[in-house]
Amino acid sequence: MQPVAVVTGVGRRLGRYLTDQLLDQGYRVFGQYHTSRVSASGESSLHLTQVDFRDSQALERWCQQILALTDRVDLLINNASLYQPDADTAADGMVQLTQCHQIHLQAPYLLMMHLNGRLQHAQGQIVNLTDIYIHHPNEDYSLYCATKAGLDSLTQSWARSLAPAVRVNSIEPGPILFLDEHSAEYRQQILARTLLQVEGGLEPIWQALWMLINNPYMTGARIPVDGGRSVAKL
């Protein structure tokens, strides 16, 4: 039977890459994007839906669409992320905090609650994408780090509460893919404090995910994929 994956944040970068790899492995993928849409042309196994996770009702409608179309979910990947430096004012900061909470905590929670029955039926698994900064927060990205740390806490709680039927793990990316706005100086500074001193790229995250998919004896694991940055001086 064709395995089914639900993936958030498929419009660009890591989410798009992971989606392509899952399709190559024969998965049927239900993908959420916000603004950057990946093309589904010619791909019958890819179901794309625009969902703004700041709207809980839109998220619930998406869950109902998934439930109507499949009786199983083998894999839920919570990848959607809002990576922004902290706002300069309290008013803007409160807006940003709310959005980080909605994307990093509320959306994964609601997806788990709505899809839990399908995950249980398939004896599936949840993989949450967190960040190595949950252990050593970046003071300029405190709201991002705090809510990603909350997702890590949910991961550990779900690993306990959903066992033994559903496995729950997390992957903690490090400097895998710089943003276009990152200067050469910034990139050099980051890589100088990364043991392997290279930008990782997206494939190592897929390799970690594929290992988790295929290892039935792992739950509650935190997998850093960061070139050794988390054990170097951040």
Side-chain angles (χ1 to χ4, degrees):
M1 184 174 294
Q2 185 178 25
V4 174
V6 176
V7 187
T8 69
V10 303
R12 59 195 292 268
R13 292 169 61 88
L14 180 58
R16 179 170 184 166
Y17 183 83
L18 295 180
T19 296
D20 288 343
Q21 303 310 306
L22 289 168
L23 290 169
D24 287 345
Q25 293 297 325
Y27 276 77
R28 182 185 185 190
V29 179
F30 293 88
Q32 173 270 348
Y33 68 95
H34 182 205
T35 55
S36 301
R37 176 173 177 170
V38 57
S39 173
S41 177
E43 185 51 76
S44 60
S45 293
L46 178 58
H47 308 265
L48 293 173
T49 306
Q50 192 280 329
V51 186
D52 186 344
F53 281 166
R54 296 171 299 181
D55 181 349
S56 61
Q57 292 184 339
L59 173 54
E60 294 199 19
R61 286 193 297 271
W62 182 46
C63 290
Q64 293 306 316
Q65 292 173 10
I66 296 171
L67 294 174
L69 291 172
T70 182
D71 63 357
R72 64 183 294 128
V73 174
D74 298 86
L75 178 63
L76 167 61
I77 301 177
N78 288 305
N79 166 70
S81 184
L82 179 63
Y83 184 70
Q84 294 178 343
D86 291 349
D88 293 330
T89 68
D92 290 342
M94 285 303 299
V95 172
Q96 185 179 356
L97 176 57
T98 298
Q99 292 176 347
C100 283
H101 178 272
Q102 290 167 326
I103 294 168
H104 300 153
L105 289 170
Q106 179 175 290
Y109 172 77
L110 289 173
L111 284 164
M112 186 279 292
M113 292 297 292
H114 284 289
L115 301 180
N116 184 32
R118 299 295 195 267
L119 286 160
Q120 297 274 346
H121 173 69
Q123 294 203 330
Q125 63 180 301
I126 300 171
V127 179
N128 294 322
L129 275 294
T130 59
D131 197 293
I132 60 169
Y133 277 138
I134 65 174
H135 306 293
H136 304 279
N138 184 326
E139 65 274 15
D140 296 325
Y141 291 79
S142 67
L143 303 181
Y144 166 84
C145 293
T147 49
K148 281 290 189 176
L151 181 57
D152 173 72
S153 181
L154 284 180
T155 303
Q156 298 299 303
S157 296
W158 292 346
R160 295 182 180 93
S161 64
L162 300 182
V166 177
R167 298 188 291 116
V168 189
N169 297 290
S170 64
I171 296 174
E172 302 173 353
I176 57 169
L177 191 64
F178 289 113
L179 299 172
D180 292 340
E181 58 264 31
H182 287 150
S183 67
E185 180 182 6
Y186 173 84
R187 299 178 190 214
Q188 185 177 10
Q189 289 174 350
I190 295 298
L191 295 180
R193 297 194 295 271
T194 301
L195 296 185
L196 298 185
Q197 298 188 358
V198 293
E199 183 181 11
L202 300 177
E203 185 176 1
I205 304 296
W206 164 248
Q207 292 171 335
L209 174 63
W210 192 239
M211 180 272 293
L212 289 172
I213 290 172
N214 288 284
N215 190 326
Y217 203 57
M218 292 187 71
T219 195
R222 300 178 174 101
I223 310 296
V225 183
D226 64 354
R229 179 159 166 73
S230 58
V231 297
K233 184 178 178 181
L234 295 178

